[in-house]
PDB file of all heavy atoms in Angstrom:
ATOM      1  N   ALA A   1     151.854 177.018  34.775  1.00 65.00           N
ATOM      2  CA  ALA A   1     152.203 178.193  35.555  1.00 65.00           C
ATOM      3  C   ALA A   1     151.951 177.950  37.040  1.00 65.00           C
ATOM      4  O   ALA A   1     152.785 178.298  37.881  1.00 65.00           O
ATOM      5  CB  ALA A   1     151.397 179.391  35.067  1.00 65.00           C
ATOM      6  N   MET A   2     150.833 177.320  37.363  1.00 64.00           N
ATOM      7  CA  MET A   2     150.554 177.022  38.774  1.00 64.00           C
ATOM      8  C   MET A   2     151.576 176.025  39.322  1.00 64.00           C
ATOM      9  O   MET A   2     152.011 176.163  40.474  1.00 64.00           O
ATOM     10  CB  MET A   2     149.133 176.443  38.910  1.00 64.00           C
ATOM     11  CG  MET A   2     148.038 177.464  38.660  1.00 64.00           C
ATOM     12  SD  MET A   2     148.087 178.854  39.796  1.00 64.00           S
ATOM     13  CE  MET A   2     147.689 178.052  41.334  1.00 64.00           C
ATOM     14  N   GLY A   3     151.978 175.059  38.534  1.00 63.00           N
ATOM     15  CA  GLY A   3     152.944 174.068  38.955  1.00 63.00           C
ATOM     16  C   GLY A   3     154.352 174.632  39.139  1.00 63.00           C
ATOM     17  O   GLY A   3     155.158 174.088  39.877  1.00 63.00           O
ATOM     18  N   SER A   4     154.638 175.727  38.464  1.00 61.00           N
ATOM     19  CA  SER A   4     156.007 176.279  38.531  1.00 61.00           C
ATOM     20  C   SER A   4     156.157 177.334  39.622  1.00 61.00           C
ATOM     21  O   SER A   4     157.250 177.797  39.882  1.00 61.00           O
ATOM     22  CB  SER A   4     156.411 176.863  37.185  1.00 61.00           C
ATOM     23  OG  SER A   4     155.711 178.068  36.930  1.00 61.00           O
ATOM     24  N   THR A   5     155.068 177.723  40.276  1.00 58.00           N
ATOM     25  CA  THR A   5     155.178 178.797  41.266  1.00 58.00           C
ATOM     26  C   THR A   5     156.080 178.437  42.442  1.00 58.00           C
ATOM     27  O   THR A   5     156.710 179.320  43.022  1.00 58.00           O
ATOM     28  CB  THR A   5     153.789 179.207  41.811  1.00 58.00           C
ATOM     29  OG1 THR A   5     153.150 178.061  42.373  1.00 58.00           O
ATOM     30  CG2 THR A   5     152.925 179.818  40.720  1.00 58.00           C
ATOM     31  N   LEU A   6     156.198 177.163  42.770  1.00 57.00           N
ATOM     32  CA  LEU A   6     157.073 176.732  43.855  1.00 57.00           C
ATOM     33  C   LEU A   6     158.512 177.157  43.594  1.00 57.00           C
ATOM     34  O   LEU A   6     159.267 177.484  44.514  1.00 57.00           O
ATOM     35  CB  LEU A   6     156.969 175.207  44.058  1.00 57.00           C
ATOM     36  CG  LEU A   6     157.857 174.602  45.132  1.00 57.00           C
ATOM     37  CD1 LEU A   6     157.485 175.107  46.501  1.00 57.00           C
ATOM     38  CD2 LEU A   6     157.771 173.092  45.078  1.00 57.00           C
ATOM     39  N   ASN A   7     158.930 177.112  42.328  1.00 58.00           N
ATOM     40  CA  ASN A   7     160.323 177.377  41.987  1.00 58.00           C
ATOM     41  C   ASN A   7     160.530 178.683  41.217  1.00 58.00           C
ATOM     42  O   ASN A   7     161.622 178.896  40.704  1.00 58.00           O
ATOM     43  CB  ASN A   7     160.881 176.212  41.168  1.00 58.00           C
ATOM     44  CG  ASN A   7     161.011 174.978  42.012  1.00 58.00           C
ATOM     45  OD1 ASN A   7     161.550 175.025  43.102  1.00 58.00           O
ATOM     46  ND2 ASN A   7     160.484 173.875  41.533  1.00 58.00           N
ATOM     47  N   ALA A   8     159.540 179.513  41.119  1.00 60.00           N
ATOM     48  CA  ALA A   8     159.662 180.740  40.350  1.00 60.00           C
ATOM     49  C   ALA A   8     160.211 181.857  41.230  1.00 60.00           C
ATOM     50  O   ALA A   8     159.499 182.763  41.640  1.00 60.00           O
ATOM     51  CB  ALA A   8     158.323 181.132  39.736  1.00 60.00           C
ATOM     52  N   HIS A   9     161.503 181.765  41.522  1.00 65.00           N
ATOM     53  CA  HIS A   9     162.169 182.760  42.360  1.00 65.00           C
ATOM     54  C   HIS A   9     163.325 183.326  41.534  1.00 65.00           C
ATOM     55  O   HIS A   9     164.134 182.588  41.008  1.00 65.00           O
ATOM     56  CB  HIS A   9     162.688 182.138  43.649  1.00 65.00           C
ATOM     57  CG  HIS A   9     161.620 181.492  44.461  1.00 65.00           C
ATOM     58  ND1 HIS A   9     160.731 182.187  45.229  1.00 65.00           N
ATOM     59  CD2 HIS A   9     161.292 180.177  44.583  1.00 65.00           C
ATOM     60  CE1 HIS A   9     159.902 181.343  45.806  1.00 65.00           C
ATOM     61  NE2 HIS A   9     160.214 180.122  45.421  1.00 65.00           N
ATOM     62  N   TYR A  10     163.415 184.629  41.486  1.00 72.00           N
ATOM     63  CA  TYR A  10     164.435 185.297  40.692  1.00 72.00           C
ATOM     64  C   TYR A  10     165.316 186.126  41.607  1.00 72.00           C
ATOM     65  O   TYR A  10     164.842 187.023  42.295  1.00 72.00           O
ATOM     66  CB  TYR A  10     163.798 186.153  39.605  1.00 72.00           C
ATOM     67  CG  TYR A  10     162.913 185.353  38.705  1.00 72.00           C
ATOM     68  CD1 TYR A  10     161.542 185.286  38.903  1.00 72.00           C
ATOM     69  CD2 TYR A  10     163.452 184.632  37.633  1.00 72.00           C
ATOM     70  CE1 TYR A  10     160.729 184.530  38.057  1.00 72.00           C
ATOM     71  CE2 TYR A  10     162.658 183.886  36.798  1.00 72.00           C
ATOM     72  CZ  TYR A  10     161.289 183.841  37.013  1.00 72.00           C
ATOM     73  OH  TYR A  10     160.509 183.079  36.209  1.00 72.00           O
ATOM     74  N   PRO A  11     166.645 185.860  41.608  1.00 83.00           N
ATOM     75  CA  PRO A  11     167.515 186.669  42.475  1.00 83.00           C
ATOM     76  C   PRO A  11     167.593 188.089  41.972  1.00 83.00           C
ATOM     77  O   PRO A  11     167.473 188.344  40.768  1.00 83.00           O
ATOM     78  CB  PRO A  11     168.870 185.963  42.345  1.00 83.00           C
ATOM     79  CG  PRO A  11     168.784 185.089  41.175  1.00 83.00           C
ATOM     80  CD  PRO A  11     167.346 184.818  40.881  1.00 83.00           C
ATOM     81  N   PRO A  12     167.817 189.041  42.872  1.00 86.00           N
ATOM     82  CA  PRO A  12     167.931 190.442  42.449  1.00 86.00           C
ATOM     83  C   PRO A  12     169.204 190.674  41.650  1.00 86.00           C
ATOM     84  O   PRO A  12     170.172 189.907  41.760  1.00 86.00           O
ATOM     85  CB  PRO A  12     167.978 191.209  43.772  1.00 86.00           C
ATOM     86  CG  PRO A  12     168.397 190.228  44.815  1.00 86.00           C
ATOM     87  CD  PRO A  12     167.958 188.868  44.318  1.00 86.00           C
ATOM     88  N   PRO A  13     169.227 191.716  40.832  1.00 92.00           N
ATOM     89  CA  PRO A  13     170.405 192.012  40.003  1.00 92.00           C
ATOM     90  C   PRO A  13     171.701 192.128  40.805  1.00 92.00           C
ATOM     91  O   PRO A  13     172.757 191.752  40.300  1.00 92.00           O
ATOM     92  CB  PRO A  13     170.041 193.360  39.347  1.00 92.00           C
ATOM     93  CG  PRO A  13     168.562 193.345  39.290  1.00 92.00           C
ATOM     94  CD  PRO A  13     168.111 192.628  40.544  1.00 92.00           C
ATOM     95  N   THR A  14     171.654 192.607  42.046  1.00 95.00           N
ATOM     96  CA  THR A  14     172.884 192.728  42.822  1.00 95.00           C
ATOM     97  C   THR A  14     173.516 191.348  43.064  1.00 95.00           C
ATOM     98  O   THR A  14     174.752 191.231  43.056  1.00 95.00           O
ATOM     99  CB  THR A  14     172.617 193.406  44.175  1.00 95.00           C
ATOM    100  OG1 THR A  14     171.565 192.746  44.855  1.00 95.00           O
ATOM    101  CG2 THR A  14     172.272 194.871  44.000  1.00 95.00           C
ATOM    102  N   VAL A  15     172.702 190.318  43.250  1.00 95.00           N
ATOM    103  CA  VAL A  15     173.222 188.962  43.459  1.00 95.00           C
ATOM    104  C   VAL A  15     173.842 188.450  42.166  1.00 95.00           C
ATOM    105  O   VAL A  15     174.930 187.885  42.146  1.00 95.00           O
ATOM    106  CB  VAL A  15     172.113 188.012  43.982  1.00 95.00           C
ATOM    107  CG1 VAL A  15     172.578 186.575  43.978  1.00 95.00           C
ATOM    108  CG2 VAL A  15     171.666 188.439  45.369  1.00 95.00           C
ATOM    109  N   ILE A  16     173.129 188.627  41.075  1.00 96.00           N
ATOM    110  CA  ILE A  16     173.608 188.139  39.770  1.00 96.00           C
ATOM    111  C   ILE A  16     174.919 188.832  39.403  1.00 96.00           C
ATOM    112  O   ILE A  16     175.888 188.205  38.970  1.00 96.00           O
ATOM    113  CB  ILE A  16     172.539 188.355  38.685  1.00 96.00           C
ATOM    114  CG1 ILE A  16     171.300 187.509  39.027  1.00 96.00           C
ATOM    115  CG2 ILE A  16     173.081 187.995  37.303  1.00 96.00           C
ATOM    116  CD1 ILE A  16     170.077 187.819  38.168  1.00 96.00           C
ATOM    117  N   LYS A  17     174.967 190.150  39.556  1.00 97.00           N
ATOM    118  CA  LYS A  17     176.195 190.917  39.264  1.00 97.00           C
ATOM    119  C   LYS A  17     177.361 190.461  40.147  1.00 97.00           C
ATOM    120  O   LYS A  17     178.499 190.363  39.669  1.00 97.00           O
ATOM    121  CB  LYS A  17     175.935 192.410  39.408  1.00 97.00           C
ATOM    122  CG  LYS A  17     175.033 192.971  38.339  1.00 97.00           C
ATOM    123  CD  LYS A  17     174.754 194.454  38.582  1.00 97.00           C
ATOM    124  CE  LYS A  17     173.804 194.992  37.537  1.00 97.00           C
ATOM    125  NZ  LYS A  17     173.432 196.391  37.789  1.00 97.00           N
ATOM    126  N   ALA A  18     177.092 190.173  41.389  1.00 97.00           N
ATOM    127  CA  ALA A  18     178.133 189.676  42.285  1.00 97.00           C
ATOM    128  C   ALA A  18     178.658 188.315  41.827  1.00 97.00           C
ATOM    129  O   ALA A  18     179.864 188.041  41.909  1.00 97.00           O
ATOM    130  CB  ALA A  18     177.622 189.584  43.729  1.00 97.00           C
ATOM    131  N   MET A  19     177.761 187.480  41.313  1.00 97.00           N
ATOM    132  CA  MET A  19     178.194 186.166  40.830  1.00 97.00           C
ATOM    133  C   MET A  19     179.093 186.332  39.585  1.00 97.00           C
ATOM    134  O   MET A  19     180.111 185.670  39.460  1.00 97.00           O
ATOM    135  CB  MET A  19     176.980 185.292  40.536  1.00 97.00           C
ATOM    136  CG  MET A  19     176.247 184.886  41.801  1.00 97.00           C
ATOM    137  SD  MET A  19     174.670 184.068  41.532  1.00 97.00           S
ATOM    138  CE  MET A  19     175.204 182.479  40.901  1.00 97.00           C
ATOM    139  N   TYR A  20     178.720 187.228  38.688  1.00 98.00           N
ATOM    140  CA  TYR A  20     179.573 187.495  37.517  1.00 98.00           C
ATOM    141  C   TYR A  20     180.912 188.116  37.935  1.00 98.00           C
ATOM    142  O   TYR A  20     181.953 187.796  37.357  1.00 98.00           O
ATOM    143  CB  TYR A  20     178.851 188.351  36.487  1.00 98.00           C
ATOM    144  CG  TYR A  20     177.931 187.550  35.599  1.00 98.00           C
ATOM    145  CD1 TYR A  20     176.579 187.816  35.577  1.00 98.00           C
ATOM    146  CD2 TYR A  20     178.423 186.538  34.776  1.00 98.00           C
ATOM    147  CE1 TYR A  20     175.701 187.096  34.765  1.00 98.00           C
ATOM    148  CE2 TYR A  20     177.574 185.822  33.943  1.00 98.00           C
ATOM    149  CZ  TYR A  20     176.203 186.085  33.947  1.00 98.00           C
ATOM    150  OH  TYR A  20     175.373 185.367  33.145  1.00 98.00           O
ATOM    151  N   ASN A  21     180.867 188.962  38.930  1.00 97.00           N
ATOM    152  CA  ASN A  21     182.108 189.551  39.432  1.00 97.00           C
ATOM    153  C   ASN A  21     183.034 188.446  39.965  1.00 97.00           C
ATOM    154  O   ASN A  21     184.252 188.481  39.747  1.00 97.00           O
ATOM    155  CB  ASN A  21     181.782 190.577  40.521  1.00 97.00           C
ATOM    156  CG  ASN A  21     182.994 191.383  40.942  1.00 97.00           C
ATOM    157  OD1 ASN A  21     183.850 191.698  40.119  1.00 97.00           O
ATOM    158  ND2 ASN A  21     183.071 191.752  42.204  1.00 97.00           N
ATOM    159  N   ALA A  22     182.443 187.478  40.663  1.00 97.00           N
ATOM    160  CA  ALA A  22     183.232 186.357  41.151  1.00 97.00           C
ATOM    161  C   ALA A  22     183.834 185.551  39.983  1.00 97.00           C
ATOM    162  O   ALA A  22     185.001 185.147  40.051  1.00 97.00           O
ATOM    163  CB  ALA A  22     182.379 185.445  42.036  1.00 97.00           C
ATOM    164  N   LEU A  23     183.036 185.356  38.945  1.00 97.00           N
ATOM    165  CA  LEU A  23     183.567 184.644  37.770  1.00 97.00           C
ATOM    166  C   LEU A  23     184.749 185.402  37.170  1.00 97.00           C
ATOM    167  O   LEU A  23     185.779 184.802  36.803  1.00 97.00           O
ATOM    168  CB  LEU A  23     182.501 184.469  36.701  1.00 97.00           C
ATOM    169  CG  LEU A  23     181.375 183.489  36.996  1.00 97.00           C
ATOM    170  CD1 LEU A  23     180.354 183.478  35.851  1.00 97.00           C
ATOM    171  CD2 LEU A  23     181.885 182.083  37.226  1.00 97.00           C
ATOM    172  N   GLU A  24     184.613 186.731  37.059  1.00 97.00           N
ATOM    173  CA  GLU A  24     185.713 187.536  36.533  1.00 97.00           C
ATOM    174  C   GLU A  24     186.952 187.418  37.416  1.00 97.00           C
ATOM    175  O   GLU A  24     188.076 187.306  36.908  1.00 97.00           O
ATOM    176  CB  GLU A  24     185.276 189.002  36.417  1.00 97.00           C
ATOM    177  CG  GLU A  24     184.305 189.240  35.301  1.00 97.00           C
ATOM    178  CD  GLU A  24     183.829 190.676  35.227  1.00 97.00           C
ATOM    179  OE1 GLU A  24     183.427 191.239  36.260  1.00 97.00           O
ATOM    180  OE2 GLU A  24     183.856 191.234  34.094  1.00 97.00           O
ATOM    181  N   ASN A  25     186.738 187.429  38.743  1.00 97.00           N
ATOM    182  CA  ASN A  25     187.865 187.307  39.662  1.00 97.00           C
ATOM    183  C   ASN A  25     188.538 185.935  39.544  1.00 97.00           C
ATOM    184  O   ASN A  25     189.718 185.804  39.887  1.00 97.00           O
ATOM    185  CB  ASN A  25     187.405 187.529  41.111  1.00 97.00           C
ATOM    186  CG  ASN A  25     187.065 188.987  41.383  1.00 97.00           C
ATOM    187  OD1 ASN A  25     187.508 189.870  40.673  1.00 97.00           O
ATOM    188  ND2 ASN A  25     186.246 189.215  42.398  1.00 97.00           N
ATOM    189  N   MET A  26     187.809 184.942  39.063  1.00 96.00           N
ATOM    190  CA  MET A  26     188.387 183.611  38.842  1.00 96.00           C
ATOM    191  C   MET A  26     189.031 183.498  37.466  1.00 96.00           C
ATOM    192  O   MET A  26     189.546 182.442  37.100  1.00 96.00           O
ATOM    193  CB  MET A  26     187.310 182.533  39.010  1.00 96.00           C
ATOM    194  CG  MET A  26     186.870 182.333  40.424  1.00 96.00           C
ATOM    195  SD  MET A  26     185.703 180.961  40.513  1.00 96.00           S
ATOM    196  CE  MET A  26     184.294 181.785  41.170  1.00 96.00           C
ATOM    197  N   GLY A  27     189.001 184.556  36.695  1.00 96.00           N
ATOM    198  CA  GLY A  27     189.658 184.567  35.404  1.00 96.00           C
ATOM    199  C   GLY A  27     188.760 184.227  34.220  1.00 96.00           C
ATOM    200  O   GLY A  27     189.228 184.117  33.094  1.00 96.00           O
ATOM    201  N   PHE A  28     187.460 184.082  34.456  1.00 97.00           N
ATOM    202  CA  PHE A  28     186.574 183.748  33.324  1.00 97.00           C
ATOM    203  C   PHE A  28     186.252 185.011  32.545  1.00 97.00           C
ATOM    204  O   PHE A  28     185.795 186.004  33.088  1.00 97.00           O
ATOM    205  CB  PHE A  28     185.264 183.101  33.837  1.00 97.00           C
ATOM    206  CG  PHE A  28     184.327 182.758  32.714  1.00 97.00           C
ATOM    207  CD1 PHE A  28     184.571 181.689  31.885  1.00 97.00           C
ATOM    208  CD2 PHE A  28     183.215 183.554  32.455  1.00 97.00           C
ATOM    209  CE1 PHE A  28     183.730 181.368  30.828  1.00 97.00           C
ATOM    210  CE2 PHE A  28     182.372 183.250  31.419  1.00 97.00           C
ATOM    211  CZ  PHE A  28     182.615 182.161  30.590  1.00 97.00           C
ATOM    212  N   ALA A  29     186.522 184.957  31.222  1.00 97.00           N
ATOM    213  CA  ALA A  29     186.220 186.096  30.353  1.00 97.00           C
ATOM    214  C   ALA A  29     185.466 185.704  29.096  1.00 97.00           C
ATOM    215  O   ALA A  29     184.801 186.542  28.491  1.00 97.00           O
ATOM    216  CB  ALA A  29     187.540 186.794  29.952  1.00 97.00           C
ATOM    217  N   LYS A  30     185.588 184.432  28.698  1.00 97.00           N
ATOM    218  CA  LYS A  30     184.878 183.966  27.486  1.00 97.00           C
ATOM    219  C   LYS A  30     184.652 182.484  27.573  1.00 97.00           C
ATOM    220  O   LYS A  30     185.395 181.752  28.218  1.00 97.00           O
ATOM    221  CB  LYS A  30     185.662 184.346  26.221  1.00 97.00           C
ATOM    222  CG  LYS A  30     186.975 183.639  26.063  1.00 97.00           C
ATOM    223  CD  LYS A  30     187.653 184.039  24.784  1.00 97.00           C
ATOM    224  CE  LYS A  30     188.977 183.299  24.653  1.00 97.00           C
ATOM    225  NZ  LYS A  30     189.615 183.574  23.373  1.00 97.00           N
ATOM    226  N   GLY A  31     183.606 182.054  26.847  1.00 98.00           N
ATOM    227  CA  GLY A  31     183.338 180.626  26.793  1.00 98.00           C
ATOM    228  C   GLY A  31     181.843 180.333  26.724  1.00 98.00           C
ATOM    229  O   GLY A  31     181.009 181.230  26.513  1.00 98.00           O
ATOM    230  N   LYS A  32     181.543 179.075  26.883  1.00 98.00           N
ATOM    231  CA  LYS A  32     180.148 178.599  26.793  1.00 98.00           C
ATOM    232  C   LYS A  32     179.523 178.526  28.175  1.00 98.00           C
ATOM    233  O   LYS A  32     180.099 177.928  29.090  1.00 98.00           O
ATOM    234  CB  LYS A  32     180.124 177.231  26.131  1.00 98.00           C
ATOM    235  CG  LYS A  32     180.570 177.241  24.666  1.00 98.00           C
ATOM    236  CD  LYS A  32     180.590 175.863  24.066  1.00 98.00           C
ATOM    237  CE  LYS A  32     179.194 175.329  23.927  1.00 98.00           C
ATOM    238  NZ  LYS A  32     179.141 174.018  23.266  1.00 98.00           N
ATOM    239  N   VAL A  33     178.376 179.176  28.300  1.00 98.00           N
ATOM    240  CA  VAL A  33     177.681 179.282  29.601  1.00 98.00           C
ATOM    241  C   VAL A  33     176.311 178.665  29.493  1.00 98.00           C
ATOM    242  O   VAL A  33     175.592 178.903  28.519  1.00 98.00           O
ATOM    243  CB  VAL A  33     177.554 180.772  29.994  1.00 98.00           C
ATOM    244  CG1 VAL A  33     176.757 180.912  31.284  1.00 98.00           C
ATOM    245  CG2 VAL A  33     178.929 181.403  30.163  1.00 98.00           C
ATOM    246  N   ILE A  34     175.941 177.867  30.488  1.00 98.00           N
ATOM    247  CA  ILE A  34     174.598 177.302  30.548  1.00 98.00           C
ATOM    248  C   ILE A  34     173.918 177.773  31.826  1.00 98.00           C
ATOM    249  O   ILE A  34     174.550 177.855  32.889  1.00 98.00           O
ATOM    250  CB  ILE A  34     174.600 175.785  30.491  1.00 98.00           C
ATOM    251  CG1 ILE A  34     173.141 175.275  30.477  1.00 98.00           C
ATOM    252  CG2 ILE A  34     175.403 175.138  31.615  1.00 98.00           C
ATOM    253  CD1 ILE A  34     172.964 173.809  30.112  1.00 98.00           C
ATOM    254  N   GLU A  35     172.650 178.097  31.674  1.00 97.00           N
ATOM    255  CA  GLU A  35     171.788 178.338  32.830  1.00 97.00           C
ATOM    256  C   GLU A  35     170.696 177.290  32.760  1.00 97.00           C
ATOM    257  O   GLU A  35     169.793 177.367  31.935  1.00 97.00           O
ATOM    258  CB  GLU A  35     171.194 179.750  32.815  1.00 97.00           C
ATOM    259  CG  GLU A  35     170.457 180.029  34.107  1.00 97.00           C
ATOM    260  CD  GLU A  35     169.818 181.389  34.199  1.00 97.00           C
ATOM    261  OE1 GLU A  35     169.994 182.214  33.271  1.00 97.00           O
ATOM    262  OE2 GLU A  35     169.114 181.621  35.212  1.00 97.00           O
ATOM    263  N   PRO A  36     170.781 176.279  33.631  1.00 97.00           N
ATOM    264  CA  PRO A  36     169.887 175.115  33.505  1.00 97.00           C
ATOM    265  C   PRO A  36     168.452 175.316  33.974  1.00 97.00           C
ATOM    266  O   PRO A  36     167.625 174.438  33.803  1.00 97.00           O
ATOM    267  CB  PRO A  36     170.571 174.057  34.367  1.00 97.00           C
ATOM    268  CG  PRO A  36     171.394 174.797  35.330  1.00 97.00           C
ATOM    269  CD  PRO A  36     171.794 176.060  34.641  1.00 97.00           C
ATOM    270  N   SER A  37     168.149 176.444  34.543  1.00 94.00           N
ATOM    271  CA  SER A  37     166.777 176.796  34.954  1.00 94.00           C
ATOM    272  C   SER A  37     166.646 178.295  34.735  1.00 94.00           C
ATOM    273  O   SER A  37     166.597 179.071  35.691  1.00 94.00           O
ATOM    274  CB  SER A  37     166.528 176.396  36.394  1.00 94.00           C
ATOM    275  OG  SER A  37     165.223 176.709  36.787  1.00 94.00           O
TER     276      SER A  37
END
């Protein structure tokens, strides 16, 4: 836990929703999604 504090940053929901909105605008509606961190 101490070692991960440098990278433990979580974007607010407004940022995440905007990213999904961008995916929808690019035509993405279904498929396999990875979140690598």
Side-chain angles (χ1 to χ4, degrees):
M2 290 299 294
S4 72
T5 58
L6 178 65
N7 291 312
H9 303 282
Y10 301 96
T14 53
V15 171
I16 297 169
K17 289 176 183 177
M19 292 171 72
Y20 278 118
N21 189 35
L23 290 178
E24 288 178 311
N25 289 340
M26 288 185 240
F28 180 75
K30 66 178 180 175
K32 294 177 69 176
V33 175
I34 184 167
E35 187 180 356
S37 181

